[in-house]
Amino acid sequence: MGKVYEATVTAPVNIAVIKYWGKRDSALILPTNSSLSVTLSQDHLSTRTTIRASPDFTIDRLWLNGVEEDINASKRLVNSITTSRKLREALEEKQKQDGIPAESVVPLSQWKIHVCSENNFPTAAGLASSASGYAALVSALGTLYELPQTTSELSRVARVGSGSACRSMFGGFVAWQAGMADDGHDSLAVQVADRQHWPELQALILVASDKKKAISSTAGMQTTVETSSLFAERVRTVVPQRMEAMKAAIAKRDFEAFAEITMRDSNQFHAVCLDTYPPISYMNDTSRAVAGLVHAFNSARGRTAAAYTYDAGPNAVIYALKSDMRDLVELFTYCFPREDNILPDAFYPDPFGIFDSPEQAGHRLTDPVVSKLASTVGKYSAGSVRRIIHTEVGDGPRVLPVSQSLLNDVGMPKRARE
C-alpha cells in the first residue's frame, strides 16, 4: 500500500455575542454587518472530519454521521471544495515554477476525495452544526493540501460554505469583519483574543427545542433586509458601536460590560426579527422564561453576573464567570426539571463536576439567596428545557493523528450506517 494522503481535523462551535443577520451578497455570503463570537470548547461540542485524496477514487463522496449524502446536492459545499482545490492547484504550479520536478509534485488537486464527518453532540441537541462542520471541512482540506494561506485567508473559504463558519476557524474571541469589497476578499475572520485571555468565562447552553425551525436563517434574514426599518439603523449605527465596545470589554475582561452588550444585542436582533414583515419569532415561552430568570438572578446578586443570548432559535446560551456558574447551574436545573423519561446524563452531563452525579441536578441549592429566588420562581414544566450543556471558551481547529481517522484502510467510513 502506497502513501496515504489524508487529514483529520476537529473544529468548534461558536456562539455570537454581536449577531450576524443579513447578507449584501447571498452567493458569496457577504454580511451586511460585522459580528463577534465566542468559540466554545471542542471537548464538549465539535465536528470531526477526515478527508482522503486518492487517484483510485472515481468520484467525490461524503458521509455525515455515518450516512452517505449527495456531495453535489449542496452548492455551498461544492464551492468550498472547489475553492480549496484551486488553491492547491496554484500551489502545485508554484512548486513546478520553483524548480521541483513535475513528477515529484503530488497532483492532489486532480484527485477525488472521500469526506467523512461526525459531530460529538447529538443532532437532537438542537445546536446548529454548519459552523463547526464547514470549519472542519476547510481546515481538513487546508491540512491535506498543505495550503500556505493564513487562517484568516482560509476563513474566506469557510465563509462561502456557512457564514458563521469563518468564526469557527479560530479559538477564543473572534470577529467576522463584514468588509466592503464586492469580491469579498476583505470579509474574513480575525481573532480578537485567544482562549487563555479570559479562562474564567464559561457558558451554559439550555436547549429549549430540538425541532427544526419553521423559518430558516437564510430565508429569515433576507426578508428582514427587505422589510425591516429597524434593521437599517442596526447596520448603520448600532452594530459598529457595539463591536468596538465589545472588543474593549473583552480586552479588559469586563464581564458586566460584556454581559450587557451581549443581552442588548440579542434583544435587538430578535426585535428586528419581529419588525420584519411578516414578523419572525424564534423565541418561545421557555426562551422568555430563561431570559427573565437571568435578570432575576442578576437582581438577586446585585450585579450583572450572567448574560443570555439567543441565535435564530429558542435555545439559550448563558455566559457567566466560573465563580457564579455553580449557582446558575443549580438554579436552572431546579427551575427547569428534566422529564422522567430523559436519562440524567443526557439532560446534564457536567464535565466540571458541579454535582457528584447527574441525579443530583436540581436537588441542591447551595446559596441561600439563590435558594430564595428559586422558591419564588418555582418550577416550570418538566422537559421545557430538553438538555443542559456546561462548557467554556475553547480553541480553534485541531489536527488529529492518523489513529483518529474516520476512514478505514480503503478510504471508507469506519462507522457507516444505512
Side-chain angles (χ1 to χ4, degrees):
M1 184 176 178
K3 182 176 179 179
V4 174
Y5 293 91
E6 180 184 279
T8 299
V9 170
T10 62
V13 169
N14 75 78
I15 301 294
V17 290
I18 304 294
K19 303 298 186 186
Y20 148 57
W21 193 251
K23 301 184 185 80
R24 60 184 174 90
D25 187 309
S26 296
L28 296 176
I29 310 189
L30 301 181
T32 53
N33 62 268
S34 296
S35 57
L36 198 150
S37 63
V38 180
T39 299
L40 301 183
S41 173
Q42 294 179 71
D43 294 338
H44 314 134
L45 300 164
S46 71
T47 298
R48 185 195 307 187
T49 297
T50 296
I51 303 179
R52 183 179 300 182
S54 172
D56 298 327
F57 296 159
T58 56
I59 58 172
D60 292 331
R61 297 179 72 177
L62 167 70
W63 292 266
L64 298 178
N65 295 313
V67 178
E68 185 163 15
E69 307 282 349
D70 181 0
I71 200 168
N72 296 309
S74 170
K75 184 177 180 181
R76 293 181 178 184
L77 178 61
V78 171
N79 286 345
S80 294
I81 294 173
T82 300
T83 302
S84 299
R85 275 189 168 129
K86 287 180 179 178
L87 293 174
R88 171 65 191 187
E89 188 173 12
L91 175 61
E92 292 167 3
E93 287 302 312
K94 184 178 183 304
Q95 290 173 338
K96 295 173 186 176
Q97 292 171 7
D98 289 344
I100 298 176
E103 62 272 14
S104 298
V105 176
V106 182
L108 293 178
S109 64
Q110 307 304 311
W111 295 353
K112 299 300 182 182
I113 59 173
H114 284 187
V115 182
C116 188
S117 187
E118 295 180 357
N119 297 325
N120 73 348
F121 53 94
T123 302
L127 300 169
S129 59
S130 60
S132 58
Y134 275 99
L137 174 81
V138 172
S139 296
L141 285 168
T143 302
L144 171 67
Y145 289 159
E146 299 180 331
L147 298 180
Q149 280 72 22
T150 66
T151 302
S152 282
E153 290 169 337
L154 286 177
S155 77
R156 291 192 296 239
V157 184
R159 188 202 72 222
V160 301
S162 172
S164 58
C166 70
R167 299 191 305 251
S168 280
M169 295 293 288
F170 288 96
F173 304 84
V174 188
W176 175 10
Q177 299 175 343
M180 298 179 64
D182 290 340
D183 67 357
H185 74 268
D186 56 351
S187 182
L188 42 71
V190 295
Q191 188 178 61
V192 173
D194 63 24
R195 65 174 298 194
Q196 288 82 16
H197 172 71
W198 203 352
E200 300 84 8
L201 188 67
Q202 296 188 347
L204 196 65
I205 303 171
L206 276 65
V207 179
S209 174
D210 50 22
K211 296 178 181 178
K212 185 177 180 180
K213 53 197 173 193
I215 301 174
S216 70
S217 297
T218 299
M221 67 175 66
Q222 187 58 37
T223 307
T224 296
V225 170
E226 294 170 355
T227 65
S228 171
S229 56
L230 290 180
F231 175 75
E233 178 63 17
R234 171 173 170 79
V235 171
R236 182 172 56 250
T237 305
V238 177
V239 170
Q241 293 175 352
R242 283 184 179 158
M243 284 290 292
E244 294 310 308
M246 181 59 83
K247 289 177 185 178
I250 292 169
K252 294 184 290 187
R253 293 187 287 272
D254 182 345
F255 182 79
E256 293 208 28
F258 171 90
E260 181 173 339
I261 298 167
T262 296
M263 290 189 285
R264 285 185 178 274
D265 200 73
S266 178
N267 292 345
Q268 193 195 55
F269 159 57
H270 287 277
V272 164
C273 289
L274 288 174
D275 187 54
T276 300
Y277 190 81
I280 305 170
S281 181
Y282 286 116
M283 295 173 68
N284 61 20
D285 289 344
T286 300
S287 310
R288 289 182 281 273
V290 169
L293 192 54
V294 168
H295 283 294
F297 179 81
N298 289 340
S299 295
R301 276 285 201 261
R303 57 185 169 83
T304 306
Y308 57 76
T309 186
Y310 297 83
D311 285 338
N315 302 325
V317 177
I318 313 297
Y319 290 110
L321 298 181
K322 181 180 179 180
S323 55
D324 290 304
M325 187 54 79
R326 173 184 287 274
D327 290 335
L328 268 174
V329 169
E330 291 178 359
L331 178 64
F332 280 112
T333 53
Y334 175 85
C335 292
F336 295 95
R338 64 181 175 87
E339 288 182 302
D340 289 338
N341 62 344
I342 299 282
L343 292 174
D345 59 349
F347 178 72
Y348 186 65
D350 178 36
F352 296 90
I354 284 182
F355 297 104
D356 295 330
S357 66
E359 290 85 347
Q360 290 181 316
H363 297 286
R364 181 191 298 179
L365 293 164
T366 307
D367 187 284
V369 174
V370 175
S371 181
K372 182 178 179 181
L373 173 59
S375 298
T376 302
V377 172
K379 295 188 177 186
Y380 291 91
S381 299
S384 54
V385 168
R386 305 283 302 168
R387 182 181 296 266
I388 299 179
I389 302 168
H390 182 191
T391 187
E392 59 187 344
V393 183
D395 57 353
R398 304 170 181 172
V399 178
L400 302 185
V402 175
S403 61
Q404 300 298 307
S405 173
L406 297 175
L407 297 173
N408 61 23
D409 291 345
V410 294
M412 298 297 286
K414 292 178 179 178
R415 293 183 288 272
R417 295 191 292 120
E418 293 296 332

